[in-house]
Structures are given as C-alpha cells and as structure tokens.
Amino acid sequence: MPQLSQLAEVYLSQLFWLAVALGFIFFVIGRGMLPRIQATVDAREQRIAGDLEAAQKARAAADETEAEWRNRMDAARAEAARIAQEAKQTSAQDTEAKVKAAADTINLRVESAEGKIRDAVNSARAEIEAVAADATRDMVARLTGIQLASGEAAAAVKAELNV
C-alpha cells in the first residue's frame, strides 16, 4: 500500500503541523478567549455575591423595620388598653355618681312618702279615736243613760287603743 509506505517520510512533518495547530489553538483559545470567559464568569460571580450581600442587608433592614413596627404596635396596643381602662374607670365613676344621686333622690321621696303615710296614719287614728269616742258616748248614753264628757270618752278610747 502506497499510503503506508510514505508514512515514515511525512511522519515528522505531520507531527510538526500537529504541534503548530495545537499551539495555535492553545494561544487563540487559551490566551485569547479563555481570559474573556474567565473575566465574564468572575464578573458574574462578583455580581451574584454583591446581590446576595445586598439581599442580606435588605433582609436585615426588613427584620429591623419589622421589629420597630412590632414595638410600635405593642406600644399602641398598650396605649389603647390604658385608654380603654381609663374610659372604663371614668364611666364607672360617672355611673356610680348617677346611681348615688338617683338613690339620694329615691331616699328623699321614700322619706317624704313615709312622712305622708305617718301623717295619714296619725290622722286616720285621730279620726278613728274621735269616731270611737263619739260612738262610745252614744252607746253608754243609750245603754246606761249616763252622759259622758267628750274628754272622758276620748281618754277611755285612747287607753284601749294603745294597749
């Protein structure tokens, strides 16, 4: 085979051109393109690292803002509870004052009514005593024929009613 017989003659030249081709590839890709690719990868890694750092800072700021917000909300809740408690106390005091005033008014009315009842009872008792004294005088006069003085009959009726 003629192709194999010339292999020894072209072997060194093929090795030379292989070395030239590989050297060309090495310098073009290794020295020209690879640094650009590496720079792009490094820039991308730096941007990702920066973005992660910014995200961490944003998270820390958000956590701090949330803590401040929670503190403000807790303070607002405490203030609202204090105001509600004060309103309850004020309302209770107002209600107590109104109830006391109403009780005083009712007590005055009750005392007035009791006085009127006492007066009515005393008046009724006096009328009953007067009627009883007249009736006693009439009965004694009809039964015995003795005329009693009105003072004696009233004293006798009074003595009997107070027993």
Side-chain angles (χ1 to χ4, degrees):
M1 292 196 121
Q3 297 94 358
L4 292 179
S5 64
Q6 45 175 310
L7 192 57
E9 295 173 10
V10 289
Y11 181 67
L12 288 177
S13 72
Q14 284 183 350
L15 284 176
F16 171 75
W17 287 111
L18 178 63
V20 169
L22 288 176
F24 177 74
I25 291 173
F26 174 75
F27 282 107
V28 169
I29 292 176
R31 299 284 184 199
M33 295 172 85
L34 189 60
R36 289 182 188 168
I37 293 172
Q38 189 63 37
T40 303
V41 170
D42 289 342
R44 184 173 182 200
E45 285 178 358
Q46 288 176 354
R47 189 170 17 156
I48 289 171
D51 290 346
L52 287 174
E53 186 177 330
Q56 290 295 338
K57 287 180 183 178
R59 176 179 283 162
D63 290 343
E64 188 176 309
T65 303
E66 181 182 7
E68 290 174 5
W69 177 79
R70 287 183 190 269
N71 289 337
R72 284 194 313 255
M73 288 303 293
D74 290 342
R77 283 188 188 110
E79 180 67 16
R82 183 188 62 77
I83 290 171
Q85 185 63 28
E86 287 178 3
K88 285 179 184 177
Q89 289 175 349
T90 303
S91 175
Q93 290 172 350
D94 291 345
T95 302
E96 185 177 333
K98 288 178 182 178
V99 167
K100 186 177 180 195
D104 291 344
T105 303
I106 290 171
N107 287 337
L108 288 175
R109 287 183 181 175
V110 167
E111 288 175 10
S112 173
E114 286 175 350
K116 287 179 183 178
I117 290 171
R118 267 186 258 118
D119 292 344
V121 166
N122 290 336
S123 173
R125 179 175 232 152
E127 285 181 27
I128 289 173
E129 287 176 4
V131 169
D134 287 341
T136 303
R137 272 186 35 219
D138 285 345
M139 283 189 238
V140 168
R142 282 189 188 169
L143 293 175
T144 61
I146 302 173
Q147 290 292 329
L148 290 175
S150 61
E152 289 176 14
V157 168
K158 194 172 212 175
E160 285 298 317
L161 287 178
N162 286 333
V163 174

